[in-house]
Amino acid sequence: MQQAAAIVEQECGQGGWPMLAIERTAGKIRLVDQIVAAITGLVARRELRVGTKMPSVRQFAKCNGVSTFTVVEAYDRLVTLGLLSSRRGSGYFVARQEVPATLLPPHTHTAAPAAIDALTPDLYSGVSEALPVGAGWLPPEWYGEDTILDAVRQAMRIPANRLRGYGHPMGFPTLRQHMAALLTGDLYPVEPDQIVLTHGATHAFDLVLRTLTKPGDAVLVEDPGYSNLLSLIRHHGCIPVGIPRGENGLDMEVLAERAKAMQPKLMFVNTVLQNPLGTSLTHAQAHRLLALAEQYDFWLVEDDIYRELAPHGASFPSLAAMDGLRRVIRVGSFSKTLSPVLRVGSISASNSLLPELLRVKMLAGLTTSEINERAVFHAITARPYKRMVERLASQLEAGRARTMENLALAGLKPLATPRGGMFVSAGWDAAPTAEFNGKAIADQALKAGILLSPNEFFMLRPSDTVWFRFNCAYSDSPQLRTFLQSVRPR
């Protein structure tokens, strides 16, 4: 027996496609890793060309004696890496020929440029020198550095007796009490014990999925929608089912059809200033969404992290307020209004659901950081906080106007007209090809010192056009305009 599982080729499947058979050994290399490495090697050696159709998930699993979940995870990772693309109703295809050296199996040699995927560290770290056009965070100076640094200093004065334990499993009690008072005054009645603090919104999504779903469950998502969420749903073995979202919100007819057909366990929805489109649901759509959730018996997870960035005087619906946390689970975060470094988010849910959410949180990591939560409390109770958030909204509004003007000069058109928030999604009308597509252009941009987030990060279905999500705080740059003009279709 070899220490690592050997991968051999054999003829299997329709058309004699050279499938990969996996020989299990005592080695500890995961099957998913083996499949990803093997297909990556075939692409790098030009044995799989751009446009080659991959076996179906079921066909691959049957031929190689692995589960369909293993194949789904492997294909999903290859899609995230940009090596495969998924076409609705058609399957998976080889999307590119150039493979980053860091992805190659040992002893495989090929020239490879830099590449970007939805989990590229530079999109999150904030330490890259590249222009963060595709990032999800704002310039540190916009947040009011003095307020945040002062809050951190105060948080570090934690009483000595608080250093003995892990902190409260639900999160810092004083912050939860303050949040409950604010939410009760602004949106809906909620008690402190209905709030669980998390390491940001993504951690909250993970806890909800761990609590309410099992592998094979259908989960409704917006398409386009939050990129990390799509991968997270697949990671849990669930099936993401896309509901088209555009200029006018969600396609409610498609939602009704797919809810009836798929019997989903839950749906994730960005009610206000959606990522990546920047649009918001109307009150009528919110009512219809709640009615469909009631009719087809699924939970609604309201991603509500952008509400505070709405323009002054704007009125947007709150599913949690309309439902009273009966069927709605509200997720909040301070990453956009304070700093993503603090990593504090929250879940608000019904009393019946809270015990299991708390149990899952403790199983996954016991507690969250009380130091971070204390810092958030000091920041949001400081006198300058409200003015700082109002200033953020104003700066984003000005940045959005400049961004849209800059993009128009490069020939890009917005997918929707944002009503506030951080993002504008825009692109060209030209159809994607093997050479001209979002991933390929993002890779070129990375070499030019620009971080872009292409449409492939946000969509379940193939896009008819090539587009990107632009952060309004960084997208009025002449550097960006020059690059976009150099790659625009002629």
Side-chain angles (χ1 to χ4, degrees), residues 259-314:
K260 181 178 181 180
M262 301 297 295
Q263 297 183 323
K265 280 295 181 70
L266 50 87
M267 177 176 182
F268 290 89
V269 60
N270 231 169
T271 313
V272 178
L273 305 179
Q274 192 246 13
N275 176 12
L277 298 179
T279 59
S280 300
L281 298 185
T282 65
H283 285 81
Q285 288 175 325
H287 279 290
R288 179 81 193 281
L289 183 55
L290 287 167
L292 289 172
E294 184 75 27
Q295 181 178 355
Y296 295 108
D297 191 26
F298 58 88
W299 293 90
L300 285 170
V301 184
E302 182 175 30
D303 178 357
D304 208 22
I305 72 173
Y306 299 101
R307 184 177 294 273
E308 284 191 273
L309 298 179
H312 181 69

Side-chain angles (χ1 to χ4, degrees), residues 305-470:
I305 72 173
Y306 299 101
R307 184 177 294 273
E308 284 191 273
L309 298 179
H312 181 69
S315 176
F316 297 119
S318 163
L319 295 174
M322 296 164 69
D323 174 74
L325 295 181
R326 188 176 60 88
R327 187 176 289 277
V328 172
I329 302 164
R330 184 207 184 248
V331 171
S333 172
F334 295 97
S335 294
K336 308 307 179 187
T337 56
L338 282 176
S339 170
V341 170
L342 292 176
R343 307 307 304 132
V344 177
S346 65
I347 299 173
S348 299
S350 66
N351 288 316
S352 62
L353 192 58
L354 250 296
E356 185 60 18
L357 281 168
L358 181 60
R359 189 184 76 87
V360 171
K361 176 185 174 180
M362 294 186 69
L363 285 172
L366 291 181
T367 63
T368 40
S369 169
E370 185 173 316
I371 294 288
N372 289 1
E373 292 161 2
R374 283 175 175 269
V376 166
F377 172 74
H378 288 300
I380 66 176
T381 55
R383 185 172 298 178
Y385 177 72
K386 184 176 181 180
R387 293 196 303 273
M388 183 180 73
V389 173
E390 291 173 350
R391 187 170 63 250
L392 276 179
S394 298
Q395 288 172 301
L396 283 170
E397 189 169 357
R400 188 166 55 257
R402 293 192 301 269
T403 293
M404 296 184 74
E405 181 180 354
N406 201 30
L407 296 178
L409 292 172
L412 287 82
K413 299 178 181 178
L415 274 65
T417 302
R419 298 188 61 189
M422 295 174 58
F423 305 118
V424 173
S425 289
W428 297 287
D429 289 334
T433 65
E435 293 76 28
F436 181 78
N437 58 71
K439 278 288 284 100
I441 294 171
D443 289 345
Q444 293 180 53
L446 194 59
K447 297 176 190 176
I450 300 171
L451 285 168
L452 287 179
S453 292
N455 59 275
E456 288 91 337
F457 290 2
F458 307 99
M459 301 193 72
L460 287 173
R461 66 188 191 279
S463 176
D464 296 330
T465 61
V466 176
W467 59 269
F468 304 87
R469 185 195 72 179
F470 296 94

Side-chain angles (χ1 to χ4, degrees), residues 238-260:
C238 297
I239 303 167
V241 178
I243 308 300
R245 180 153 181 173
E247 176 79 51
N248 298 316
L250 286 166
D251 189 325
M252 292 295 177
E253 299 310 313
V254 171
L255 173 55
E257 291 172 4
R258 294 182 181 171
K260 181 178 181 180

Side-chain angles (χ1 to χ4, degrees), residues 8 23 26 40 72 130 165 181-182 187 214-215 301 303 324 352 418 424 466 475:
V8 298
E23 180 182 338
T40 299
V72 167
L182 290 177
L187 290 175
K214 62 182 184 301
V301 184
D303 178 357
S352 62
V424 173
V466 176
S475 299

Side-chain angles (χ1 to χ4, degrees), residues 12-83:
C12 181
Q14 298 178 354
W17 195 91
M19 298 286 289
L20 304 174
I22 300 173
E23 180 182 338
R24 291 168 177 77
T25 72
K28 295 184 178 180
I29 299 177
R30 295 180 63 230
L31 295 179
V32 170
D33 296 331
Q34 296 179 56
I35 295 170
V36 170
I39 294 176
T40 299
L42 290 175
V43 172
R45 297 192 300 269
R46 304 299 196 267
E47 294 178 42
L48 290 178
R49 298 284 183 176
V50 171
T52 301
K53 184 175 181 179
M54 300 295 293
S56 71
V57 169
R58 191 176 300 277
Q59 181 185 5
F60 191 108
K62 182 178 179 181
C63 183
N64 293 290
V66 297
S67 76
T68 55
F69 294 124
T70 297
V71 182
V72 167
E73 185 176 348
Y75 276 8
D76 178 56
R77 190 183 302 176
L78 289 161
V79 169
T80 300
L81 295 172
L83 298 183

